[in-house]
Amino acid sequence: DDLEEEIHENKTIVSNSPFVLCRLSLLSNGQNIYAIPNEMPLKVGDRVSVLLCNDKKEEAIVIAVEQHISTSAPPDYGNNKIIGKL
């Protein structure tokens, strides 16, 4: 059997569709991070559980709910995900 390897260039998908990001303050150290919210409605002041990019769970407070498009989003925004409201 011949195995064929396809090589794809690393392409960034640019979307003008707005999406929501939450800016959070981690309770453990006060660090501000961005996270993708799940489907629940969130507002400033909500306490949430967030799954960080290192698979560690942290508690945080929502300090901003922002709309972005792919070109205006902060780098690495997709590495953290809000998994629940506390």
Side-chain angles (χ1 to χ4, degrees):
D1 294 326
D2 290 335
L3 294 176
E4 290 184 20
E5 183 177 347
E6 291 185 29
I7 299 174
H8 299 278
E9 290 182 39
N10 185 8
K11 295 182 180 177
T12 301
I13 297 172
V14 176
S15 172
N16 289 327
S17 299
F19 59 93
V20 174
L21 287 178
C22 291
R23 193 160 24 116
L24 308 174
S25 177
L26 298 178
L27 295 180
S28 62
N29 61 14
Q31 178 185 359
N32 290 351
I33 63 167
Y34 280 91
I36 297 172
N38 56 12
E39 297 301 315
M40 75 183 84
L42 294 170
K43 63 184 183 309
V44 172
D46 284 346
R47 287 183 60 167
V48 295
S49 179
V50 61
L51 183 63
L52 302 178
C53 58
N54 60 4
D55 289 330
K56 183 178 178 186
K57 288 183 186 176
E58 292 263 0
E59 290 185 13
I61 294 178
V62 177
I63 57 175
V65 179
E66 305 171 352
Q67 277 203 345
H68 289 275
I69 58 173
S70 61
T71 56
S72 74
D76 300 327
Y77 69 86
N79 293 336
N80 306 306
K81 294 179 177 43
I82 296 172
I83 55 174
K85 204 171 178 179
L86 301 175

